[in-house]
Amino acid sequence: MPNKDIPQIKNEEQYEALRDQGMSKQKAARIANTKNKDMDTGGEKYEKRSKEDLYQKAKEVGIEGRSKMTKKELIEALRKG
């Protein structure tokens, strides 16, 4: 039975990458624990979204340099996570 007092990180790799970028523990955990409905295995695909939607998603996950990226670059950056 898992200990409910210890927070669980669902995507440890993403969490560590976000922490390395200087994000707070809480924000990194919140993002890493969010189910990514935008993956190619299900849900809406990035290509169907507008550049503005992709920009907002990139902003949400803390991708740097997003304001100068093309739609294709935003998609690639989001997929790398």
Side-chain angles (χ1 to χ4, degrees):
M1 182 184 269
N3 185 344
K4 293 184 180 184
D5 295 332
I6 300 173
Q8 300 296 311
I9 304 297
K10 293 179 184 177
N11 187 336
E12 195 70 39
E13 185 177 315
Q14 183 182 30
Y15 172 80
E16 291 300 328
L18 293 169
R19 290 289 294 142
D20 289 345
Q21 293 177 14
M23 198 170 288
S24 72
K25 290 179 181 180
Q26 293 82 8
K27 186 171 183 179
R30 190 169 49 251
I31 292 169
N33 286 338
T34 301
K35 182 178 176 187
N36 190 349
K37 65 183 178 185
D38 298 318
M39 297 297 287
D40 283 342
T41 56
E44 183 179 359
K45 296 191 180 203
Y46 286 129
E47 287 83 1
K48 294 181 181 178
R49 297 177 74 173
S50 70
K51 183 179 176 184
E52 180 61 28
D53 287 342
L54 295 169
Y55 175 84
Q56 290 303 322
K57 181 69 175 173
K59 184 177 179 181
E60 179 182 313
V61 297
I63 294 173
E64 294 183 21
R66 63 189 171 268
S67 64
K68 296 179 182 173
M69 291 183 182
T70 65
K71 181 176 179 176
K72 184 177 180 181
E73 290 170 330
L74 285 166
I75 291 169
E76 289 173 12
L78 287 165
R79 285 195 173 133
K80 288 179 184 177

